[in-house]
Amino acid sequence: SQKIEQNSEALNIQEGKTATLTCNYTNYSPAYLQWYRQDPGRGPVFLLLIRENEKEKRKERLKVTFDTTLKQSLFHITASQPADSATYLCALDTGFQKLVFGTGTRLLVSP
Amino acid sequence: NAGVMQNPRHLVRRRGQEARLRCSPMKGHSHVYWYRQLPEEGLKFMVYLQKENIIDESGMPKERFSAEFPKEGPSILRIQQVVRGDSAAYFCASSPSSGGVTDTQYFGPGTRLTVL
């Protein structure tokens, strides 16, 4: 069966450290993979998109990798700040105009 | 440029009533998507619409749920005869174009439906 798995346990890190979140999937062949941030009571906010033929994408303190052999994406936030605390969602895009979301990982950055 | 707008933000209905959720996409966007998020679960795709057309409704329950995106006005997600299991956050997203690949989707703030 098709699955998208993100670590359901919250990730607690100290300010200034690098946060690394994982997204694994099975039985999908995504054309794209996207990462979103969601704060409590709000809609998801788009962060980064990476294509199947790209290994890595960066935007300011964010970095995403995409390994189609391992069927895994890693999402990194360097020099993390308390304001980065939120739930981060990965979403697969198989090219048919609908996103398939993971359940998200909650990140808590302590001062 | 205003973002995706949804109203109401919170909606309370009694079992058996109708719920009507509205979504105005970002200016210049002609594609609308509806997702549902149950507590402690991920967002689940429901339906994808373009103006006056339903493109993909594979995620919509077969009964009681319908969606439209008329030529003029917002997209509407309608839930008839609501049941307690319909309680969830309903998110609308929009994107500017198609062409065979999915553009970035921009999400609204959601409508939180509570069925008593």
Side-chain angles (χ1 to χ4, degrees):
Chain A
S1 62
Q2 296 176 317
K3 281 186 190 176
I4 304 172
E5 293 181 320
Q6 293 185 258
N7 194 341
S8 59
E9 293 184 14
L11 177 64
N12 289 275
I13 64 167
Q14 269 198 310
E15 183 176 9
K17 302 289 186 184
T18 296
T20 299
L21 286 69
T22 305
C23 177
N24 295 296
Y25 60 93
T26 54
N27 294 324
Y28 282 109
S29 297
Y32 303 80
L33 190 144
Q34 303 187 27
W35 283 88
Y36 287 78
R37 169 184 172 141
Q38 187 173 25
D39 291 282
R42 301 203 166 189
V45 174
F46 171 76
L47 296 175
L48 278 170
L49 179 152
I50 187 164
R51 293 173 173 77
E52 61 179 336
N53 61 350
E54 296 177 318
K55 296 290 185 189
E56 183 179 295
K57 202 80 166 281
R58 291 175 185 261
K59 179 183 175 182
E60 298 174 354
R61 293 185 296 112
L62 310 180
K63 183 177 87 170
V64 171
T65 62
F66 192 12
D67 189 324
T68 54
T69 301
L70 291 178
K71 297 187 182 296
Q72 180 181 78
S73 175
L74 299 179
F75 177 79
H76 307 271
I77 306 176
T78 58
S80 59
Q81 304 165 2
D84 295 327
S85 298
T87 296
Y88 291 87
L89 310 172
C90 75
L92 299 185
D93 176 353
T94 57
F96 293 102
Q97 307 297 330
K98 60 187 180 189
L99 295 175
V100 182
F101 282 86
T103 52
T105 298
R106 195 154 57 101
L107 173 67
L108 299 170
V109 182
S110 307
Chain B
N1 188 9
V4 177
M5 299 176 69
Q6 290 187 249
N7 67 79
R9 294 292 308 276
H10 300 273
L11 183 61
V12 179
R13 285 288 178 265
R14 296 192 181 280
R15 280 180 297 169
Q17 292 184 319
E18 179 179 285
R20 194 171 294 200
L21 289 62
R22 294 175 186 77
C23 169
S24 296
M26 287 180 70
K27 189 176 180 181
H29 286 194
S30 58
H31 298 241
V32 165
Y33 313 80
W34 286 92
Y35 293 83
R36 176 165 63 177
Q37 188 172 39
L38 293 166
E40 305 304 320
E41 292 190 19
L43 286 106
K44 303 285 188 207
F45 168 81
M46 298 182 75
V47 62
Y48 161 43
L49 309 106
Q50 296 177 22
K51 286 281 186 182
E52 300 184 280
N53 282 306
I54 297 174
I55 307 301
D56 182 348
E57 56 181 348
S58 58
M60 289 276 272
K62 296 287 183 239
E63 297 176 349
R64 303 187 297 108
F65 284 71
S66 62
E68 62 178 10
F69 188 16
K71 187 177 179 181
E72 302 289 339
S75 175
I76 306 286
L77 178 68
R78 185 180 290 110
I79 311 172
Q80 296 177 305
Q81 300 176 317
V82 295
V83 301
R84 288 218 175 104
D86 296 333
S87 296
Y90 292 83
F91 290 96
C92 168
S94 72
S95 67
S97 65
S98 178
V101 294
T102 303
D103 283 293
T104 299
Q105 295 181 18
Y106 297 86
F107 282 78
T111 293
R112 273 144 193 88
L113 172 65
T114 301
V115 180
L116 302 177

